[in-house]
Amino acid sequence: MLLAATIIAATPLAAAPPSGPASIAEHQRQCAGKDGWSDPAPPIRIFANIYDVGSCGITVLLITGSKGHVLIDAATAPAIPSIIANIERLGLRPTDVRFLLSTHEHVDHVGGLHDIQQRTGATLIASAAARPMLESGTPASDDPQRGDIPDFTGARVGRIVKDGDVVALGSLRLTAHLTPGHSPGGTSWSWTACTGKSCRRIVYADSLSAVSADAYRFTDHPAYVARLRATIAKVAALRCDLLITPHPGSSNLYDRLAGKAPLIDSKACAAYAATARKTLDQRLTREASVAKRR
């Protein structure tokens, strides 16, 4: 027994895993050269009780509260182990995630919802438009990217929200904004977060980019273009101090967290929408030019 105790005492202990959110420097080191949907990234604190627990290329927002937590988006199924590890690294229990929300029903953002729902037991909340795709795992028939993005394992929707509905959990209050532009079931979310006496209006704005499968032409779908334009205008009008997007690069999130650009910007939503409007106009111009040459 004495010999065994001596051997145990002489064995060097493994270094304890890091706990708490990573610095942006650690995040950038781990994600250097990586921006894939499933590349593991450490969790980072964005503001107050808001954390990004997603992958190097996909935002997954964790909003913590005294009565439980809210998770918005879930990246891909292969990313779920690292997302769970990130929640635990923050000292939280995955089973305390009560609600799951989403932005749009593409595999890179909601492909992991089924697995995260199984791990947490959380209720998935979505719009009526998003529900069929979230449950079937198949993009809508009128989704511009249908046929170009893979299906995913669907998750069960437990509650439907309409435009302007508030999802409440303890002191957390998140407002749903239906923004069906990038996809037919797109949803953006807004709420107020405070750290001390500093309170900010947060907007997690859905993607607004006019991207599609190769054979799709936006000019052939004027109703869809009108819907995308209306969505862009709606996001532009949102009151936001801190903008976050499903693809962090779309809102320059990591550089802003690193201090290379302002994190807080009351014009961020308007600027994000202006870029999307310009991109859509350029896409329509290119399609018209190609049509003239034929």
Side-chain angles (χ1 to χ4, degrees):
M1 291 294 293
L2 179 60
L3 178 60
T6 301
I7 292 173
I8 292 173
T11 302
L13 296 175
S19 60
S23 65
I24 187 61
E26 179 189 341
H27 186 280
Q28 290 179 328
R29 284 195 302 271
Q30 185 164 326
C31 289
K34 303 173 185 175
D35 61 0
W37 298 347
S38 307
D39 290 327
I44 47 176
R45 181 174 178 263
I46 296 176
F47 179 80
N49 60 335
I50 306 165
Y51 302 86
D52 180 5
V53 295
S55 63
C56 290
I58 299 294
T59 305
V60 176
L61 280 191
L62 179 69
I63 307 161
T64 63
S66 60
K67 300 297 183 181
H69 318 309
V70 176
L71 194 73
I72 311 182
D73 287 341
T76 63
I80 295 306
S82 65
I83 292 172
I84 292 293
N86 283 343
I87 294 171
E88 293 174 338
R89 172 171 168 167
L90 295 173
L92 306 171
R93 296 183 300 183
T95 52
D96 285 338
V97 174
R98 306 298 187 199
F99 294 149
L100 302 174
L101 311 178
S102 66
T103 49
H104 63 272
E105 59 283 5
H106 291 164
V107 64
D108 47 336
H109 305 285
V110 298
L113 279 178
H114 174 271
D115 288 357
I116 204 77
Q117 189 175 54
Q118 296 299 307
R119 295 288 296 271
T120 64
T123 298
L124 176 56
I125 301 173
S127 69
R131 182 176 187 171
M133 291 78 80
L134 292 175
E135 292 194 331
S136 69
T138 302
S141 59
D142 60 339
D143 190 320
Q145 294 188 64
R146 185 181 175 95
D148 197 46
I149 53 175
D151 293 351
F152 54 91
T153 302
R156 184 177 62 84
V157 175
R159 175 181 162 190
I160 297 296
V161 288
K162 300 185 296 295
D163 190 51
D165 279 357
V166 174
V167 173
L169 180 62
S171 61
L172 303 180
R173 298 284 189 279
L174 287 84
T175 300
H177 305 274
L178 303 191
T179 47
H182 183 73
S183 76
T187 307
S188 298
W189 300 91
S190 68
W191 66 100
T192 298
C194 301
T195 177
K197 294 183 179 180
S198 176
C199 295
R200 302 296 184 185
R201 296 167 297 191
I202 315 297
V203 172
Y204 188 34
D206 190 18
S207 298
L208 299 177
S209 53
V211 295
S212 70
D214 291 342
Y216 187 95
R217 283 168 36 91
F218 281 90
T219 46
D220 295 335
H221 303 274
Y224 200 97
V225 171
R227 187 165 65 185
L228 178 52
R229 288 197 185 281
T231 285
I232 291 171
K234 186 173 186 176
V235 171
L238 292 176
R239 300 175 65 198
C240 69
D241 300 314
L242 200 166
L243 170 67
I244 309 169
T245 50
H247 291 275
S250 298
S251 52
N252 203 25
L253 178 62
Y254 299 149
D255 280 349
R256 290 159 55 213
L257 289 172
K260 298 178 181 179
L263 179 63
I264 306 300
D265 181 359
S266 61
K267 297 179 180 179
C269 281
Y272 178 58
T275 298
R277 189 179 300 111
K278 181 179 179 180
T279 300
L280 174 60
D281 289 341
Q282 290 173 339
R283 172 68 184 261
L284 293 172
T285 298
R286 287 197 305 271
E287 290 181 357
S289 297
V290 170
K292 287 181 180 179
R293 292 197 298 268
R294 289 177 177 172

